[in-house]
Amino acid sequence: MITLIKSATIIDASSPFHQQTKDILINDGSITKIDDNISKKDGYQVVELDNLHVSTGWFDSSVSFGEPGYEERETIKHGLEVAAKSGFTAVAVNPNTNPVIDNKSSVEFLINKANGFATNLYPIGTLTQQNKGIEMAELYDMQQSGAIAFGDYNKPIANDNLLKIALLYTQNFDGLALSFPKNNSIAGDGVANEGKNSTLLGLKGIPALAEEIQISRDLFLLEYTGGKLHIPTITTEKSVKLIKEAKKKGLDVTCSVAVHNLVLTDDELHGFDGNKKVNPPLRTSKDIKALLKGLKDGTIDIITSDHNPIDIEHKKVEFSTAKDGTIGLESAFGALNSVLDIETIVNCLSNNPKERFGIEKISIQENQKADLSIFSPDGDYTFSEENIISTSKNSIFLNKKLKGKVYGIYNNNQLILNS
């Protein structure tokens, strides 16, 4: 199939066509021509849409699907279809399944299940056996089977020596270790950011210190061991400062931030809505300001939706007992587009995460594979259940004003567009 994308504004700093509006001709999955005006021919699949923009394909570094074990929340097949219609050509899937992804056969199961889709799936293996934080998992074997990183999703590594050994061991095969930034001894059974709102609402608080002290420990260990460390979903002003200082020292550390922590504060908790319960929690406007600044100056490398489907039985309950997590694929671009410029969004959704997780970066040029996210930055709308494609509906952005529209993707010789 030959596909012709008409009048597309190209967002790709590595392309000679960056910020130019061009026609793009794709034949058998590869870009064969980029020009001002390419004529339509019979049999072409033509894409003509309002204020059409294309960028290098977005890669979400933290996505949870239910399968295996929690298929009622989301299956791999449907999850990848959601990702495609949300503009993502690749996703890294967390190991929080049942059984967890802690050995080579479970990694291979995910890869085989995802074969043939427009959106590529890259497994993240657990850092510890059975996700229990006691003994290290089979990291090398999992990497040989296709795992791109190792971390216990939303679970901190409490054992300092275990993380030290993991950082040393992964250097033998250039592996990437993930360490969730939370000290459970300090966080305790907190359910919300410790501050004015948690006090007013009578909710047990999670102090910013619980995140920052864990990051400090991780950075001390990294400085001692060397190796590669990624800290997912930071949320506080001090966390940004700690990572900025570590990078100045030359430590090989990166970090990410979840979309909702860039847009929403703990003021959202006044309705006691379980959909607003996330881990790490929503913080303050001062933290958001520091996070946005950290993205723009390069301290924060990656933005993730931190997409985590939870069934209604575990969400429509008392706030303190609701499971943590929000879906985020469908709302990611619209939320980011309301607070950040397009180039920063593309850099932190595409170039930076691909580089860190060892995914091939493909420029929008002739004779290159077509790996494209297709969208428009224009148009305000209110995010509602009608906008949710996921099986689970636990969105933190329900009834929020978002901006822009995702049209779909082109990847793996497949065009996927929203109807």
Side-chain angles (χ1 to χ4, degrees), residues 258-279:
V259 174
H260 45 268
N261 287 112
L262 292 169
V263 181
L264 304 174
T265 70
D266 59 355
D267 290 342
E268 297 291 329
L269 304 183
H270 284 265
F272 294 100
D273 180 359
N275 287 334
K276 308 291 174 65
K277 186 166 182 258
V278 287
N279 185 23

Side-chain angles (χ1 to χ4, degrees), residues 75-134:
T75 62
I76 290 168
K77 177 181 184 294
H78 190 254
L80 290 173
E81 291 167 356
V82 172
K85 291 187 175 182
S86 303
F88 292 89
T89 63
V91 293
V93 173
N94 293 310
N96 54 330
T97 51
N98 186 20
V100 297
I101 310 303
D102 68 350
N103 58 71
K104 63 180 295 181
S105 61
S106 54
V107 168
E108 289 163 0
F109 168 82
L110 288 184
I111 291 172
N112 291 333
K113 270 280 187 176
N115 189 39
F117 287 88
T119 295
N120 297 321
L121 183 152
Y122 297 95
I124 295 175
T126 62
L127 191 74
T128 67
Q129 291 180 24
Q130 297 180 13
N131 208 22
K132 290 183 175 178
I134 299 170

Side-chain angles (χ1 to χ4, degrees), residues 353-413:
K354 285 179 180 177
E355 183 172 347
R356 188 51 165 173
F357 284 82
I359 310 300
E360 183 184 10
K361 292 193 294 181
I362 301 169
S363 180
I364 302 176
Q365 299 186 45
E366 293 176 357
N367 303 315
Q368 293 282 326
K369 179 191 172 188
D371 174 7
L372 307 171
S373 295
I374 307 169
F375 60 95
S376 167
D378 289 346
D380 297 332
Y381 69 103
T382 300
F383 189 79
S384 68
E385 275 212 26
E386 292 178 4
N387 303 109
I388 295 177
I389 319 166
S390 297
T391 301
S392 295
K393 309 301 179 186
N394 58 303
S395 173
I396 201 168
F397 284 107
L398 278 171
N399 303 315
K400 296 296 178 187
K401 295 279 188 188
L402 305 184
K403 182 184 178 186
K405 179 178 177 62
V406 173
Y407 290 127
I409 63 170
Y410 188 101
N411 189 42
N412 294 336
N413 200 14

Side-chain angles (χ1 to χ4, degrees), residues 324-360:
D324 299 319
T326 175
I327 57 170
L329 287 168
E330 299 99 312
S331 53
F333 176 71
L336 291 175
N337 193 37
S338 64
V339 294
L340 284 167
D341 63 280
I342 292 295
E343 288 201 41
T344 301
I345 293 170
V346 170
N347 207 34
C348 295
L349 280 184
S350 180
N351 301 325
N352 290 352
K354 285 179 180 177
E355 183 172 347
R356 188 51 165 173
F357 284 82
I359 310 300
E360 183 184 10

Side-chain angles (χ1 to χ4, degrees), residues 22-297:
K22 299 285 184 180
D23 289 0
I24 302 172
L25 189 67
I26 304 168
N27 189 354
D28 198 26
S30 295
I31 298 172
T32 55
K33 190 175 182 182
I34 300 176
D35 211 336
D36 290 335
N37 186 28
I38 301 173
S39 300
K40 304 174 191 176
K41 292 185 179 177
D42 289 344
Y44 279 13
Q45 185 175 227
V46 180
V47 181
E48 282 187 284
L49 298 162
D50 292 340
N51 196 26
L52 194 154
H53 285 56
V54 298
S55 74
T56 49
W58 304 339
F59 166 52
D60 195 331
S61 63
S62 178
V63 168
S64 300
F65 294 146
E67 190 176 4
Y70 303 110
E71 287 84 356
E72 72 280 3
R73 296 178 186 174
E74 192 63 275
T75 62
I76 290 168
K77 177 181 184 294
H78 190 254
L80 290 173
E81 291 167 356
V82 172
K85 291 187 175 182
S86 303
F88 292 89
T89 63
V91 293
V93 173
N94 293 310
N96 54 330
T97 51
N98 186 20
V100 297
I101 310 303
D102 68 350
N103 58 71
K104 63 180 295 181
S105 61
S106 54
V107 168
E108 289 163 0
F109 168 82
L110 288 184
I111 291 172
N112 291 333
K113 270 280 187 176
N115 189 39
F117 287 88
T119 295
N120 297 321
L121 183 152
Y122 297 95
I124 295 175
T126 62
L127 191 74
T128 67
Q129 291 180 24
Q130 297 180 13
N131 208 22
K132 290 183 175 178
I134 299 170
E135 295 182 54
M136 199 162 61
E138 302 167 2
L139 308 188
Y140 178 72
D141 283 353
M142 285 194 285
Q143 188 184 61
Q144 292 300 294
S145 295
I148 59 168
F150 311 99
D152 293 357
Y153 178 69
N154 273 12
K155 287 187 176 182
I157 305 297
N159 185 326
D160 307 331
N161 194 53
L162 181 60
L163 182 60
K164 184 197 80 174
I165 292 169
L167 286 167
L168 287 167
Y169 177 64
T170 49
Q171 291 176 56
N172 295 310
F173 50 92
D174 198 32
L176 178 63
L178 278 56
S179 179
F180 184 65
K182 184 180 182 182
N183 181 299
N184 276 338
S185 298
I186 292 173
D189 53 1
V191 295
N193 177 56
E194 183 180 87
K196 180 183 72 174
N197 283 315
S198 64
T199 304
L200 283 171
L201 298 170
L203 296 172
K204 292 181 179 178
I206 302 172
L209 178 66
E211 175 172 308
E212 295 151 6
I213 201 167
Q214 193 81 351
I215 289 175
S216 295
R217 181 209 67 168
D218 292 352
L219 295 173
F220 269 113
L221 288 172
L222 182 65
E223 189 171 8
Y224 178 79
T225 60
K228 289 163 53 176
L229 177 67
H230 177 69
I231 301 173
T233 56
I234 70 168
T235 63
T236 79
E237 180 183 26
K238 182 70 178 292
S239 296
V240 178
K241 289 179 181 175
L242 289 168
I243 290 164
K244 190 170 190 174
E245 289 164 7
K247 288 187 170 187
K248 282 181 182 175
K249 288 182 181 178
L251 300 186
D252 192 350
V253 61
T254 52
C255 64
S256 68
V257 60
V259 174
H260 45 268
N261 287 112
L262 292 169
V263 181
L264 304 174
T265 70
D266 59 355
D267 290 342
E268 297 291 329
L269 304 183
H270 284 265
F272 294 100
D273 180 359
N275 287 334
K276 308 291 174 65
K277 186 166 182 258
V278 287
N279 185 23
L282 297 176
R283 301 285 188 185
T284 68
S285 56
K286 188 179 178 186
D287 292 309
I288 286 179
K289 187 177 178 182
L291 293 167
L292 291 171
K293 185 181 176 187
L295 284 165
K296 290 172 184 174
D297 69 20

